[in-house]
Amino acid sequence: PSAPWFDGSVVGDFGFDPLNLASSAALLAFYREAEIKHSRLAMLATVGWPVSEMLDEPLAQLCGMPCVLASRGIAPSVLNGGLESISPVFWGAALGSAAT
């Protein structure tokens, strides 16, 4: 038996909430909106990762800065390596903007 707010009024509503996370209709709406926002960010990241690898070298040359792509021309990341070549000032600014 599902909760009363699982009434089939929204697309994909089959009353599936095995952990009872949505304890009210308002919380269900909040979770639904959060899921949509996270999926949109994931779609942007899916496009942004290869675009960053394609545009890093031309943009670096245009700005007169060194290219920071890791070996094999891939974006620096935990998995790819190369994060040590990124300025600590960038990391401070990124963390500072994320905290606000």
Side-chain angles (χ1 to χ4, degrees):
S2 63
W5 42 87
F6 290 114
D7 58 3
S9 62
V10 295
V11 176
D13 180 6
F14 297 106
F16 183 75
D17 188 13
L19 300 177
N20 290 324
L21 296 175
S23 57
S24 69
L27 196 54
L28 176 64
F30 173 78
Y31 286 149
R32 185 169 184 260
E33 185 177 337
E35 184 173 359
I36 290 170
K37 288 179 182 178
H38 288 110
S39 65
R40 288 177 179 164
L41 282 173
M43 288 186 274
L44 286 172
T46 301
V47 172
W49 191 281
V51 168
S52 72
E53 291 177 351
M54 292 185 323
L55 296 180
D56 184 72
E57 190 170 357
L59 289 175
Q61 289 176 355
L62 182 68
C63 296
M65 300 175 70
C67 178
V68 295
L69 291 178
S71 61
R72 303 185 321 263
I74 53 181
S77 72
V78 173
L79 296 175
N80 296 340
L83 289 177
E84 67 279 351
S85 64
I86 307 299
S87 168
V89 174
F90 168 79
W91 292 119
L95 289 173
S97 66
T100 58

